[in-house]
Amino acid sequence: MKPTAAITAVGGYLPEFKLTNSILETMVDTSDEWITTRTGIKERRILKEKGTGVSYMGIKAAEEALAKRGMKANELDAVIFSTVTPDMPVASSAAFVASEIGATNAFAYDLQAACSGFLYGLFTASQYIESGRMERVLLIGGDKMSSIVDYSDRTTCVIFGDGCGAVILEANPEGLGLQDSILRSDGRGRQYLNIKAGGSMYPPSKETVELGEHYVHQEGQQVFKFAVTNMADVSAKIMDRNNLHADDVNWLVPHQANKRIIDATAKRMGVGPDKVMLNIQRYGNTTNGTLPLCLYDYESQLRKGDSLIFAAFGGGFTWGAIYLKWAYDAA
Ligand code: UT7
């Protein structure tokens, strides 16, 4: 039988500093009431330590996942880091994390698919295992969004936060783990959510910095429209083609960009709020961190054999859904 790829451990890291809605009220023209009703967010974490990048959080999340599994880093075959905020534009953060944790037998690279990065990573990592070429892959997802957010722009600074999660994927003899995936992209969406400068099209210059073009720019309403429709569509489709009814789904694991998008997706699937993983109120949108941090927070409630539907939508545009069977009862 072809091996399946199952998640066997979860780790996470959230910086200590809490940027609350009331602090944001002192920084930009906003209110706790607006942020709460429009997004569901109450606070987000910010990585304040000087000179630290996303790898700082990735290393901590990875080490926790390895410790929980009782696995040595040198047993890993690959390390993938899904992120839009690598430590540096060139030199992969995954390679640095792999070296720091001692994953000396792994190849490592970063994966960039905006908010769908962890979903894409879950699929990619699983392929290495399903093919039989690899047995153990570490997938990290997370971002230091505070490094690309303009804290004078109220339309973006209230949304994003910093955080990182990590999972270990292993070959599973019982058919548990990844069952099906639908991944999509549409590059025409990049006009609505991007960082204009700093890449090869508009290299960084004094002018691009003065214009704030190195910050993330989002046309919220446009992205919202596409996100609501597409996240709900793929989630319903993956249920349909696997003959899953709402009762068969134990958990929806949605990207945490906006509570209203999450509610719309759950509604379309017919899944009640008790089955929806939600931590946006505490962390905001951590981009690549949202899905693994949901697993991190809900791990103790997951049971072997549970059916999970992951769904995400993000910049690019990129989006998708994954159907996964959980492989263990957490201790
Ligand atoms: O994770 C990657 C994918 N991203 C997403 O999925 C995000 C999708 N978009 C969204 O979640 C929402 O569009 C936002 C939360 C970003 C914005 O919510 P919205 O309900 O779409 O608000 P809006 O952009 O339509 O703005 C409504 C009003 C505007 O004022 P006027 O023009 O009606 O006077 C904005 O200027 O709210 C104003 N506004 C704010 N007011 C207080 C925008 N940001 C703020 C703010 N505080 N922080």
Side-chain angles (χ1 to χ4, degrees):
M1 197 174 96
K2 205 174 98 171
T4 46
I7 293 175
T8 56
V10 186
Y13 180 78
L14 291 145
E16 263 171 46
F17 181 79
K18 291 178 185 168
L19 178 59
T20 60
N21 289 353
S22 54
I23 298 175
L24 281 166
E25 282 175 349
T26 68
M27 296 163 64
V28 288
D29 180 16
T30 191
S31 66
D32 173 49
E33 200 266 332
W34 190 97
I35 302 171
T36 307
T37 52
R38 300 284 180 133
T39 70
I41 304 167
K42 284 288 189 187
E43 60 189 37
R44 49 310 279 136
R45 302 297 183 92
I46 304 294
L47 183 64
K48 290 263 192 185
E49 282 81 354
K50 242 192 152 142
T52 54
V54 77
S55 68
Y56 177 86
M57 299 187 286
I59 289 166
K60 290 185 186 293
E63 284 177 340
E64 187 182 358
L66 287 164
K68 275 161 112 178
R69 182 69 182 131
M71 186 185 283
K72 292 202 172 61
N74 65 9
E75 295 175 68
L76 292 167
D77 300 309
V79 176
I80 303 173
F81 200 154
S82 298
T83 185
V84 297
T85 50
D87 285 0
M88 305 171 184
V90 176
S92 98
S93 298
F96 182 72
V97 172
S99 296
E100 290 295 301
I101 64 174
T104 45
N105 296 308
F107 84 124
Y109 62 90
D110 294 350
L111 190 158
Q112 209 277 50
C115 295
S116 310
F118 187 81
L119 208 63
Y120 279 37
L122 210 48
F123 173 77
T124 306
S126 297
Q127 300 316 296
Y128 295 135
I129 292 167
E130 287 178 18
S131 71
R133 297 292 293 267
M134 292 184 177
E135 285 177 20
R136 287 168 286 268
V137 179
L138 174 69
L139 172 63
I140 310 167
D143 278 292
K144 183 183 169 184
M145 293 304 291
S146 61
S147 67
I148 55 171
V149 163
D150 177 356
Y151 283 94
S152 67
D153 174 10
R154 70 173 182 176
T155 69
T156 49
C157 76
V158 302
I159 299 170
F160 295 105
D162 302 341
C164 212
V167 298
I168 296 170
L169 287 134
E170 292 181 70
N172 184 283
E174 297 176 277
L176 299 169
L178 190 133
Q179 306 293 309
D180 194 15
S181 58
I182 302 175
L183 302 176
R184 295 282 179 270
S185 65
D186 181 355
R188 287 170 299 182
R190 77 175 179 178
Q191 62 185 302
Y192 303 119
L193 178 46
N194 59 40
I195 293 179
K196 190 175 170 190
S200 56
M201 217 161 126
Y202 300 105
S205 67
K206 193 163 167 264
E207 195 189 2
T208 62
V209 171
E210 276 166 7
L211 291 169
E213 291 173 344
H214 56 296
Y215 290 127
V216 70
H217 159 84
Q218 173 171 254
E219 288 176 40
Q221 266 191 28
Q222 288 293 340
V223 180
F224 187 91
K225 268 195 305 201
F226 284 100
V228 163
T229 317
N230 287 310
M231 223 167 105
D233 276 355
V234 284
S235 305
K237 191 171 172 192
I238 206 159
M239 283 174 71
D240 194 41
R241 79 182 192 190
N242 288 282
N243 294 315
L244 293 171
H245 301 284
D247 286 349
D248 305 317
V249 175
N250 299 97
W251 293 100
L252 167 63
V253 194
H255 174 49
Q256 313 278 308
N258 188 315
K259 182 156 186 303
R260 289 182 289 144
I261 300 174
I262 296 171
D263 290 345
T265 303
K267 192 170 171 206
R268 178 82 174 280
M269 294 166 71
V271 166
D274 50 321
K275 291 181 171 184
V276 180
M277 293 192 189
L278 196 74
N279 54 21
I280 189 172
Q281 67 281 12
R282 288 184 290 137
Y283 310 146
N285 182 351
T286 56
T287 304
N288 283 277
T290 60
L291 299 180
L293 285 172
C294 277
L295 296 178
Y296 186 60
D297 282 354
Y298 283 83
E299 187 189 23
S300 64
Q301 297 181 54
L302 296 173
R303 294 291 164 261
K304 185 175 176 181
D306 276 0
S307 291
L308 276 57
I309 303 288
F310 293 79
F313 183 90
F317 292 137
T318 57
W319 69 99
I322 278 182
Y323 165 34
L324 178 139
K325 281 193 184 233
W326 196 249
Y328 64 99
D329 295 328

